[in-house]
Amino acid sequence: MMIIMKANATPQQVEAVIAKIKAEGLNVHLSQGVEATIIGAIGETHNMSTELFEVLEGVEVVQRITQPYKLASRQFHPENTILPLDGFTVGGEQIAIIAGPCSVESRSQIIETALAVKEAGACALRGGVFKPRTSPYSFQGLGEEGLEYLAEAREKTGLPIVVEIMSQVQVDLMVKYVDVLQIGARNMQNFNLLRVVGETRTAVLLKRGLSATVEELLMSAEYILAGGNGRVMLCERGIRTFETTTRNTTDINAIPVLKNLTHLPVILDPSHATGHADYVAAIARAGVAAGADGLIVEVHPDPAHAVSDGKQSLKPEKFAAMVKQVGQIAQIMGRSLAVVQREAVKQGWA
Amino acid sequence: MMIIMKANATPQQVEAVIAKIKAEGLNVHLSQGVEATIIGAIGETHNMSTELFEVLEGVEVVQRITQPYKLASRQFHPENTILPLDGFTVGGEQIAIIAGPCSVESRSQIIETALAVKEAGACALRGGVFKPRTSPYSFQGLGEEGLEYLAEAREKTGLPIVVEIMSQVQVDLMVKYVDVLQIGARNMQNFNLLRVVGETRTAVLLKRGLSATVEELLMSAEYILAGGNGRVMLCERGIRTFETTTRNTTDINAIPVLKNLTHLPVILDPSHATGHADYVAAIARAGVAAGADGLIVEVHPDPAHAVSDGKQSLKPEKFAAMVKQVGQIAQIMGRSLAVVQREAVKQGWA
Amino acid sequence: MMIIMKANATPQQVEAVIAKIKAEGLNVHLSQGVEATIIGAIGETHNMSTELFEVLEGVEVVQRITQPYKLASRQFHPENTILPLDGFTVGGEQIAIIAGPCSVESRSQIIETALAVKEAGACALRGGVFKPRTSPYSFQGLGEEGLEYLAEAREKTGLPIVVEIMSQVQVDLMVKYVDVLQIGARNMQNFNLLRVVGETRTAVLLKRGLSATVEELLMSAEYILAGGNGRVMLCERGIRTFETTTRNTTDINAIPVLKNLTHLPVILDPSHATGHADYVAAIARAGVAAGADGLIVEVHPDPAHAVSDGKQSLKPEKFAAMVKQVGQIAQIMGRSLAVVQREAVKQGWA
Amino acid sequence: MMIIMKANATPQQVEAVIAKIKAEGLNVHLSQGVEATIIGAIGETHNMSTELFEVLEGVEVVQRITQPYKLASRQFHPENTILPLDGFTVGGEQIAIIAGPCSVESRSQIIETALAVKEAGACALRGGVFKPRTSPYSFQGLGEEGLEYLAEAREKTGLPIVVEIMSQVQVDLMVKYVDVLQIGARNMQNFNLLRVVGETRTAVLLKRGLSATVEELLMSAEYILAGGNGRVMLCERGIRTFETTTRNTTDINAIPVLKNLTHLPVILDPSHATGHADYVAAIARAGVAAGADGLIVEVHPDPAHAVSDGKQSLKPEKFAAMVKQVGQIAQIMGRSLAVVQREAVKQGWA
């Protein structure tokens, strides 16, 4: 860290900064120029806040040189993390397409959807059983019953399942059932949840908060990594801006930015990022063209009667068309669509 | 709700909308005009999402007439909620000033601060023991030890204590100690936490999320109210915008807007809303002038050595000056500063 | 427009609304329901503001059914506008790639760049001669001298030239030289400029303002169209959000949204939308994958010594690589890159 | 400026930076540390962009120490600018209240309003004659006819007049009539307009753009000051955020921030900043409590029939009540309301 002192900083103020640097176990590099005195704090500063020095008198500005995260940083881990998942991988050459309904609504709904998305080319199944709903009066999810239906759908299709976890108290239940724990946008800075998930060895799909910066997303990933769980995928799902024609604004820039800053796989959720089924395919194509490692897409057999997110859910046939286009873009990018390898126990159902 | 059909909607599409309205237990009011067919859905629609109808084919737009929250709405509860708290009240004529450090750091720090803020005119003490920190490497709070220090500070000063709860698993511990459960900005949509807190009968200070709309804040309050806990205060603490000279942007408009939409008390946090000690007093005055029912302010005996939020913490003497100015503004508004009534057990300490 | 009255609106208030609707030359459609009285204002309401009725007493909300723009709307002009430009077209099957430096700096710089971008596959040349600079002390452009260099570059390469106009007083000079008048983000709501440009018959590239909604962009296009100039292209160039890792946030959603709402061609500027040369190619690919009709890209022979926007400028060889990738994406989209047809007068120069 | 080099920067890259610093006429201060090489560029750097060095290879980050504006900066002009205006002053002890309709609609409307706002305590009259309207079909203002009515209103009341200028071509006309040239939010970065206005000696009210940072507002003021016109007032009028219950979000923080960064007077426009007449008084009080030097408020004798901005316009009696409250707040702040001194030629009219 470089601490730049105010032009009129006193020698006592400079001394106080130096003392604090030393107290933090760092080395000092002092440079007294004509316009400004600059004090370098040398050492392990990843885990330090600039505020430590900003509060001291006489300090003009503190410039961080190293990033405030380390385990998530590509600087310290130049190679892509390639995350194996049921025979396919995420973060390498393959593009993973995760699909399914917003909420698990019934046994038949989730199994029907699972069969349809597998047929269309998805490699994993999503479906919520604990739902973060803005209104206390809205459907809140089927809970464990939903997990059982998901497990059955996995058995029938071979698709690993991706399910949102909303609270630290759900972790034991969830890891018993799911292949990937999803942390939703509203919980990106639920640090208790991050810590608990970091203690598991289950893969995690960490969604960016509605108004979280890229750096904050990486800091949240750092929580999970610091707990010892390195199986983390990041997910851009749209940020909140002033624009109202779409539910959120897809931060497509975040895809190459994240690929540059971190070694973790980056997934795009074009469903939440747009909020309209009509725009999902265009943004899905854009995401893969921009370098995303995968997509997570809402698909529902009957969007008009979905209990949640119907407006942004694709019908299976639209989803199949989208997968086809995405596959062509993947090819140009020198990649291919991931195909699930786990054998389905029984393909039929009734 | 008014469902406005597209100009080219078919009679079948109109029928489908009508069928869904009836299936939801609502009455239908059909109005077929030249430019558009409008279908009213009449009945208890507070707890329904517009999406229910937006997903149907032929629907142009759905216009909500009633608000999506009811218990929090001034429409259904025209009188201010006046929340009694240790002899003073929040939401009525009195202006409550809550003050204290960001984090409880030690026994002496919190007791020293409590005595200082009481002396300066605060009526309640804040202090965090579980800290939501962006970095996993930052200080995470003293936990129960901190609660004990806070309880001791309360005993010595008579000030009720306001403490942030971060997870549903902390609720039993917290209600044993604290007078007001604070829900932080990052947890405003931690619905599990809201539900658990709604089951207690402890007062709640609910902070607005960084990018939460006023309506979403009220929906989160509705979660707590729906649980049976009516002792809720709302807190504006700045929202995230593009401006970078301050940590957040105080949404001062939200104060008269909230006072108009809800009967719940509205508190302003000028410390987080600005992020700079130099701007806190100006924004505190502005908040009370705009109609806020109280303030929550970070005060630290030695901000330069605070473990968190030092930059935005006032020294006790600056805080005392701020209270004086705020008191004068309160008077113009026909109000007065709340004074704590609980007797302090012992004023001295050592 | 549908005017929804408050539940407690008086008959007099309803009458006042009806009277105003009639005074505006519209027909009235009254629907008195149980929960609300709704008054339809039927007729030519495109050019009316909802505020006309919102200010009346007893009005709860005014719901627009038709869009507030007409000439720009796809509703009234379902076919794509295909804009001919020197042998190629914009808005049809072809993808137009416009490239060149931020500022024209010298004769040799612009001619060298023009030759390089043509060689790489661009179909038009950009270059600013009047520069909107945040600081009054920054380079403000070469003015007419720059236009002469651009004209010479066009002569040597056959590339039509796209140049920003900053003020209505520049219009006579500009139309003498340029093929496409660019209106920059900061002037998107410079209505005097829009009106003057609408009176010309020169093609216009209208950039979206930093914080302009999609609807506002279309309203600004409407100004130009209403003046009789139908040769308008829209340009997404990134919007201002809280994210700071990139200069702006590319609103990639705006591409399919605009293609849905309007018949005008939609161009993406990945240079301003990211602000970093490293991210330009990824976002250029994403834009074409999302359905953009073209790109406008900053290219400079020596970005490290560019007088402006060096950080986001591609070197010619990087640009050539980008064009290649974009061409492949175009093919998947069933499109091809536009090729300039105007013959270059002399290919060599010195 | 401090140029911090990447950890792996080569000696050649360091040399290139040093060469560029010297080429800019600045002195070099080199500091080679363990973690990073830092190169200070010493001299007159106010008028330089950090981009100058950011584009060079091997550069990690460039940290500005001095602000990018000088004439507007309090650093170089510690005393408040106190701007005399018809017997009262802006920026000193007095609080200036400017009021009037959005648009001048007729002779009687503006004269009636002028008399009413003067009676209520305003010291200046606002009224638009060239209107920046989002839609080309909306009322665009009375033009010179409106200026004549304003001049007559000034004659009858003694109130100086504040009128928006929209284009550089209007400047000769405007300075003949008006006391204060208003530059609207949409023109804050219309640099041609800023430059022309900077060449006059008429006072200027410069409004902050919808998404302009505080720094950008000061850079735009710098344009006017650099032209030799020091009579500049800044105006916060709300910024664009995601919140939709109000038209804009009042950035109340900007008031103390601007008072800290600049010596120029700071005015608040609570009408545009909220967009609702019901919230104007609360925000007006807040503005003065936060340290604003004045207010500009929309007042209309009959808001329900205003041609523009009726929703946010106060009736004269509401405005009078607001002035009374603001006067009380002013007193607490040790200030008083400005009173116009220019004698009205004739008080009656017909």
Side-chain angles (χ1 to χ4, degrees):
Chain A
M1 273 181 203
M2 294 295 147
I3 294 114
I4 301 172
M5 302 299 292
K6 287 186 175 151
N8 59 0
T10 64
Q12 289 73 22
Q13 291 171 341
V14 172
E15 276 313 309
V17 171
I18 290 174
K20 194 157 186 182
I21 293 173
K22 289 182 177 164
E24 296 289 333
L26 302 171
N27 292 316
V28 173
H29 176 262
L30 182 66
S31 159
Q32 258 154 334
V34 182
E35 266 192 342
T37 294
I38 301 180
I39 313 171
I42 315 297
E44 188 63 40
T45 56
H46 281 91
N47 46 9
M48 285 182 188
S49 163
T50 55
E51 205 184 15
L52 217 56
F53 301 106
E54 285 165 348
V55 294
L56 298 182
E57 283 178 24
V59 171
E60 174 74 36
V61 72
V62 181
Q63 176 67 52
R64 180 181 276 290
I65 297 173
T66 52
Q67 290 157 330
Y69 45 88
K70 187 167 185 177
L71 302 173
S73 170
R74 195 178 276 282
Q75 230 174 302
F76 291 88
H77 187 312
E79 295 304 310
N80 280 344
T81 283
I82 299 180
L83 208 142
L85 206 72
D86 275 306
F88 64 90
T89 59
V90 187
E93 177 267 340
Q94 298 171 48
I95 303 279
I97 302 186
I98 307 163
C102 175
S103 300
V104 177
E105 298 169 13
S106 68
R107 181 175 172 273
S108 64
Q109 173 246 22
I110 192 63
I111 294 179
E112 185 185 335
T113 309
L115 291 168
V117 301
K118 189 190 179 182
E119 172 77 21
C123 66
L125 176 67
R126 61 154 288 156
V129 303
F130 299 112
K131 299 301 304 172
R133 303 304 299 274
T134 310
S135 165
Y137 309 118
S138 297
F139 175 67
Q140 311 270 329
L142 289 183
E144 186 162 6
E145 183 188 345
L147 289 172
E148 276 165 17
Y149 298 153
L150 280 163
E152 191 180 343
R154 172 175 51 196
E155 217 182 316
K156 286 190 192 308
T157 59
L159 299 175
I161 58 179
V162 180
V163 190
E164 178 166 357
I165 179 169
M166 274 182 68
S167 167
Q168 61 180 113
V169 305
Q170 295 160 350
V171 74
D172 291 339
L173 176 67
M174 292 292 278
V175 298
K176 242 179 35 196
Y177 282 95
V178 315
D179 299 285
V180 180
L181 291 162
Q182 178 182 312
I183 294 182
R186 285 169 185 75
N187 278 314
M188 191 202 86
Q189 293 192 319
N190 181 336
F191 301 111
N192 292 58
L193 180 58
L194 297 176
R195 222 175 280 119
V196 165
V197 160
E199 285 161 15
T200 74
R201 292 300 172 265
T202 304
V204 180
L205 181 81
L206 175 64
K207 288 191 150 189
R208 179 180 183 184
L210 273 75
S211 67
T213 62
V214 162
E215 185 175 295
E216 287 170 342
L217 173 60
L218 291 168
M219 298 294 281
S220 286
E222 188 85 1
Y223 260 91
I224 303 171
L225 298 169
N229 185 354
R231 306 184 68 211
V232 177
M233 299 173 261
L234 304 175
C235 180
E236 164 62 31
R237 44 76 73 207
I239 58 173
R240 181 161 275 180
T241 70
F242 59 82
E243 178 56 50
T244 56
T245 54
T246 46
R247 183 175 174 181
N248 293 293
T249 297
T250 310
D251 184 1
I252 194 84
N253 291 357
I255 291 173
V257 169
L258 283 167
K259 293 305 292 179
N260 182 30
L261 295 176
T262 185
H263 51 89
L264 298 170
V266 178
I267 307 294
L268 177 67
D269 173 348
S271 308
H272 286 86
T274 61
H276 290 271
D278 288 350
Y279 303 136
V280 168
I283 301 308
R285 292 191 308 260
V288 174
D293 297 306
L295 299 167
I296 178 163
V297 181
E298 289 192 344
V299 177
H300 195 284
D302 181 9
H305 296 91
V307 300
S308 54
D309 280 356
K311 226 164 59 171
Q312 70 194 33
S313 295
L314 294 182
K315 289 187 185 175
E317 55 271 26
K318 293 255 174 170
F319 172 67
M322 184 211 90
V323 172
K324 223 168 162 179
Q325 297 168 353
V326 166
Q328 291 178 299
I329 305 263
Q331 219 178 332
I332 286 174
M333 302 291 293
R335 307 178 77 166
S336 64
L337 300 190
V339 179
V340 69
Q341 302 293 332
R342 175 150 57 176
E343 208 176 325
V345 176
K346 23 181 180 165
Q347 288 289 347
W349 70 287
Chain B
M1 272 181 204
M2 294 295 146
I3 295 112
I4 301 173
M5 302 300 291
K6 286 186 176 151
N8 60 0
T10 65
Q12 288 72 24
Q13 291 171 340
V14 172
E15 275 313 309
V17 171
I18 290 173
K20 194 157 186 184
I21 293 173
K22 289 181 178 164
E24 294 292 330
L26 301 172
N27 292 316
V28 173
H29 176 261
L30 181 66
S31 158
Q32 256 153 335
V34 183
E35 266 192 343
T37 294
I38 301 179
I39 313 171
I42 316 296
E44 187 64 40
T45 56
H46 281 91
N47 45 11
M48 286 181 186
S49 162
T50 55
E51 207 185 13
L52 215 57
F53 302 106
E54 286 165 347
V55 294
L56 298 180
E57 283 178 24
V59 171
E60 174 75 36
V61 73
V62 180
Q63 175 66 52
R64 180 181 278 287
I65 297 173
T66 52
Q67 291 157 330
Y69 45 88
K70 186 167 184 177
L71 303 173
S73 169
R74 194 179 274 284
Q75 229 175 304
F76 290 88
H77 187 310
E79 297 302 309
N80 280 343
T81 283
I82 299 180
L83 209 142
L85 206 71
D86 274 306
F88 65 89
T89 59
V90 187
E93 176 267 341
Q94 297 172 47
I95 302 280
I97 302 185
I98 305 163
C102 175
S103 300
V104 177
E105 298 170 12
S106 69
R107 181 174 170 274
S108 64
Q109 173 246 19
I110 192 64
I111 294 179
E112 184 186 336
T113 310
L115 291 168
V117 301
K118 189 189 179 183
E119 172 76 21
C123 67
L125 177 67
R126 63 154 288 156
V129 301
F130 300 111
K131 298 303 305 172
R133 303 304 299 274
T134 310
S135 166
Y137 309 117
S138 298
F139 175 68
Q140 310 270 330
L142 290 183
E144 185 162 7
E145 183 189 345
L147 289 172
E148 276 164 17
Y149 298 153
L150 280 163
E152 192 181 342
R154 173 174 51 195
E155 218 183 316
K156 286 190 193 307
T157 58
L159 298 174
I161 58 177
V162 181
V163 190
E164 178 164 357
I165 178 168
M166 274 182 69
S167 166
Q168 62 180 112
V169 304
Q170 295 160 350
V171 73
D172 291 338
L173 176 67
M174 291 292 278
V175 299
K176 244 180 33 199
Y177 283 95
V178 315
D179 299 285
V180 180
L181 292 162
Q182 179 181 312
I183 295 181
R186 284 168 186 76
N187 278 314
M188 191 201 85
Q189 293 192 319
N190 181 336
F191 300 112
N192 293 56
L193 180 58
L194 297 176
R195 223 176 279 120
V196 165
V197 160
E199 286 161 13
T200 74
R201 292 299 172 265
T202 304
V204 180
L205 182 80
L206 175 64
K207 288 192 149 188
R208 181 181 182 182
L210 272 76
S211 67
T213 62
V214 161
E215 185 174 296
E216 287 169 342
L217 173 60
L218 290 168
M219 298 293 281
S220 287
E222 188 84 1
Y223 260 91
I224 303 171
L225 298 170
N229 186 354
R231 305 183 68 211
V232 177
M233 297 173 263
L234 305 174
C235 181
E236 164 64 30
R237 45 76 74 207
I239 57 173
R240 181 162 276 181
T241 70
F242 58 82
E243 178 56 50
T244 55
T245 54
T246 47
R247 182 174 175 183
N248 293 294
T249 297
T250 310
D251 183 2
I252 193 83
N253 291 357
I255 293 174
V257 168
L258 283 168
K259 293 305 290 179
N260 182 30
L261 295 176
T262 185
H263 51 88
L264 298 170
V266 178
I267 308 294
L268 177 67
D269 174 347
S271 309
H272 286 86
T274 61
H276 290 272
D278 289 349
Y279 303 137
V280 168
I283 301 309
R285 292 191 307 261
V288 173
D293 297 306
L295 299 167
I296 179 163
V297 181
E298 289 192 343
V299 177
H300 194 285
D302 181 10
H305 295 91
V307 299
S308 56
D309 280 357
K311 223 161 63 167
Q312 70 193 33
S313 295
L314 295 182
K315 290 187 185 175
E317 54 272 25
K318 292 253 176 172
F319 172 67
M322 184 210 90
V323 173
K324 222 167 163 181
Q325 297 168 352
V326 164
Q328 290 179 299
I329 306 263
Q331 217 177 337
I332 285 173
M333 302 291 293
R335 307 178 77 167
S336 63
L337 300 189
V339 179
V340 69
Q341 302 292 331
R342 175 151 57 177
E343 208 176 324
V345 175
K346 21 179 184 162
Q347 288 289 349
W349 71 287
Chain C
M1 274 181 201
M2 294 295 147
I3 295 114
I4 301 173
M5 302 300 292
K6 287 186 174 151
N8 59 2
T10 64
Q12 288 73 24
Q13 290 170 342
V14 172
E15 275 314 308
V17 171
I18 289 174
K20 194 158 185 182
I21 293 173
K22 289 182 177 164
E24 296 290 332
L26 302 172
N27 292 316
V28 173
H29 176 261
L30 182 66
S31 159
Q32 258 154 332
V34 182
E35 266 192 344
T37 294
I38 300 180
I39 313 172
I42 315 295
E44 186 64 40
T45 56
H46 280 92
N47 45 11
M48 286 182 188
S49 163
T50 55
E51 207 185 15
L52 216 59
F53 301 107
E54 286 166 347
V55 294
L56 298 182
E57 284 179 22
V59 171
E60 175 74 36
V61 73
V62 180
Q63 175 66 52
R64 179 181 279 287
I65 297 174
T66 52
Q67 291 158 330
Y69 45 87
K70 187 168 185 177
L71 303 173
S73 169
R74 194 179 274 282
Q75 228 174 305
F76 290 87
H77 187 310
E79 297 303 310
N80 280 344
T81 283
I82 299 179
L83 209 143
L85 207 71
D86 275 305
F88 64 89
T89 59
V90 187
E93 177 267 341
Q94 298 172 47
I95 303 278
I97 302 186
I98 306 162
C102 175
S103 301
V104 177
E105 298 170 13
S106 68
R107 180 175 171 272
S108 63
Q109 172 246 21
I110 191 65
I111 293 179
E112 184 185 336
T113 310
L115 291 168
V117 300
K118 190 190 179 181
E119 172 75 21
C123 67
L125 177 66
R126 62 154 288 153
V129 302
F130 300 111
K131 297 303 304 172
R133 304 303 299 275
T134 309
S135 165
Y137 310 118
S138 298
F139 174 66
Q140 310 271 330
L142 288 185
E144 186 163 5
E145 184 189 342
L147 289 172
E148 275 165 17
Y149 297 153
L150 281 164
E152 191 181 342
R154 173 176 51 196
E155 217 183 316
K156 286 192 192 308
T157 59
L159 298 175
I161 58 178
V162 181
V163 190
E164 179 166 357
I165 179 169
M166 275 182 69
S167 167
Q168 62 180 112
V169 305
Q170 295 159 350
V171 74
D172 291 337
L173 177 66
M174 293 292 278
V175 298
K176 244 180 33 197
Y177 282 95
V178 316
D179 299 285
V180 180
L181 291 163
Q182 179 182 314
I183 295 181
R186 284 168 185 77
N187 278 314
M188 192 201 85
Q189 293 192 319
N190 181 336
F191 301 112
N192 292 58
L193 180 58
L194 297 176
R195 222 176 279 120
V196 165
V197 160
E199 286 161 14
T200 74
R201 292 301 171 266
T202 305
V204 180
L205 181 81
L206 176 64
K207 289 191 149 188
R208 182 181 181 182
L210 272 76
S211 67
T213 61
V214 162
E215 185 175 295
E216 287 170 342
L217 173 59
L218 290 168
M219 298 293 282
S220 286
E222 188 84 2
Y223 260 91
I224 303 171
L225 298 169
N229 186 354
R231 306 184 68 211
V232 177
M233 298 172 261
L234 305 174
C235 180
E236 165 62 31
R237 44 77 73 208
I239 57 173
R240 180 161 276 182
T241 70
F242 59 82
E243 178 56 49
T244 56
T245 54
T246 46
R247 180 175 177 183
N248 293 295
T249 297
T250 310
D251 183 1
I252 193 83
N253 291 357
I255 292 173
V257 168
L258 282 168
K259 293 304 291 179
N260 183 30
L261 295 176
T262 185
H263 51 88
L264 298 170
V266 178
I267 307 294
L268 177 67
D269 173 348
S271 308
H272 286 86
T274 61
H276 289 272
D278 288 350
Y279 303 136
V280 168
I283 302 308
R285 292 192 307 262
V288 173
D293 297 305
L295 300 167
I296 178 163
V297 181
E298 289 192 344
V299 177
H300 195 285
D302 181 10
H305 295 92
V307 300
S308 55
D309 280 357
K311 223 162 62 167
Q312 70 193 32
S313 295
L314 294 182
K315 289 187 186 174
E317 54 272 25
K318 292 253 176 172
F319 172 68
M322 184 209 91
V323 172
K324 222 168 163 182
Q325 298 168 352
V326 165
Q328 291 178 299
I329 305 263
Q331 218 177 336
I332 286 172
M333 301 291 293
R335 306 177 78 166
S336 63
L337 299 190
V339 180
V340 70
Q341 301 292 332
R342 176 152 56 177
E343 209 175 322
V345 176
K346 21 179 181 163
Q347 289 288 349
W349 71 287
Chain D
M1 271 182 205
M2 295 294 147
I3 295 113
I4 301 172
M5 302 300 292
K6 287 187 174 150
N8 59 1
T10 65
Q12 288 73 23
Q13 291 171 340
V14 171
E15 275 314 309
V17 171
I18 290 174
K20 195 158 184 182
I21 293 173
K22 289 183 178 163
E24 295 290 332
L26 302 172
N27 291 316
V28 172
H29 177 260
L30 182 66
S31 158
Q32 256 153 335
V34 182
E35 267 192 341
T37 294
I38 301 179
I39 313 171
I42 316 296
E44 187 65 38
T45 56
H46 280 92
N47 45 11
M48 286 181 187
S49 163
T50 55
E51 207 184 14
L52 216 56
F53 302 106
E54 285 165 348
V55 295
L56 298 182
E57 283 178 23
V59 170
E60 175 74 36
V61 74
V62 180
Q63 176 67 51
R64 181 181 276 288
I65 297 173
T66 52
Q67 291 158 330
Y69 45 87
K70 187 167 186 179
L71 302 173
S73 169
R74 195 179 274 284
Q75 230 174 303
F76 290 88
H77 187 312
E79 298 301 312
N80 281 343
T81 283
I82 299 180
L83 207 142
L85 206 71
D86 274 306
F88 65 89
T89 59
V90 187
E93 177 267 340
Q94 298 171 47
I95 302 280
I97 302 185
I98 306 163
C102 175
S103 300
V104 177
E105 298 170 12
S106 68
R107 181 173 171 275
S108 63
Q109 173 246 20
I110 192 63
I111 294 179
E112 185 185 335
T113 310
L115 291 168
V117 301
K118 189 189 179 182
E119 171 77 21
C123 67
L125 177 67
R126 64 153 287 156
V129 302
F130 300 112
K131 298 302 304 170
R133 304 304 298 275
T134 310
S135 165
Y137 310 118
S138 297
F139 174 67
Q140 310 271 329
L142 290 184
E144 186 162 6
E145 184 189 343
L147 289 173
E148 276 165 17
Y149 298 153
L150 280 164
E152 191 181 341
R154 172 175 50 195
E155 215 182 316
K156 286 189 193 309
T157 59
L159 298 175
I161 58 179
V162 181
V163 190
E164 178 166 357
I165 179 168
M166 275 181 68
S167 167
Q168 61 180 112
V169 304
Q170 295 160 350
V171 73
D172 292 337
L173 177 66
M174 292 292 277
V175 298
K176 242 179 37 196
Y177 283 96
V178 316
D179 300 285
V180 181
L181 291 162
Q182 178 182 312
I183 295 181
R186 284 167 185 76
N187 278 313
M188 192 202 85
Q189 292 192 321
N190 181 336
F191 300 113
N192 293 57
L193 180 59
L194 296 176
R195 223 175 279 120
V196 165
V197 161
E199 286 161 14
T200 73
R201 293 301 172 263
T202 304
V204 180
L205 181 81
L206 176 64
K207 289 190 148 190
R208 180 180 182 184
L210 273 77
S211 68
T213 61
V214 162
E215 185 174 295
E216 288 170 341
L217 173 59
L218 291 169
M219 298 293 281
S220 286
E222 188 84 0
Y223 260 92
I224 303 172
L225 298 170
N229 186 353
R231 306 184 67 210
V232 177
M233 297 173 263
L234 305 174
C235 181
E236 163 63 31
R237 47 74 75 206
I239 57 173
R240 181 162 276 181
T241 70
F242 58 82
E243 178 57 50
T244 57
T245 54
T246 47
R247 182 174 174 182
N248 292 294
T249 298
T250 310
D251 183 1
I252 193 84
N253 291 357
I255 292 174
V257 168
L258 282 168
K259 293 305 292 179
N260 182 30
L261 294 177
T262 184
H263 51 90
L264 298 170
V266 178
I267 307 294
L268 177 66
D269 173 347
S271 307
H272 286 86
T274 61
H276 289 272
D278 288 351
Y279 304 136
V280 168
I283 302 310
R285 293 191 307 261
V288 173
D293 297 306
L295 299 168
I296 178 163
V297 181
E298 289 192 343
V299 177
H300 195 284
D302 181 11
H305 296 91
V307 300
S308 55
D309 279 358
K311 226 163 61 171
Q312 70 194 33
S313 295
L314 294 182
K315 288 186 186 177
E317 55 272 24
K318 292 254 177 170
F319 172 68
M322 184 212 91
V323 173
K324 222 167 161 180
Q325 298 168 353
V326 165
Q328 291 178 298
I329 306 263
Q331 218 177 335
I332 287 173
M333 302 290 294
R335 306 178 79 167
S336 63
L337 300 190
V339 179
V340 68
Q341 302 292 332
R342 174 149 60 174
E343 209 175 323
V345 175
K346 24 180 181 164
Q347 287 289 349
W349 71 287

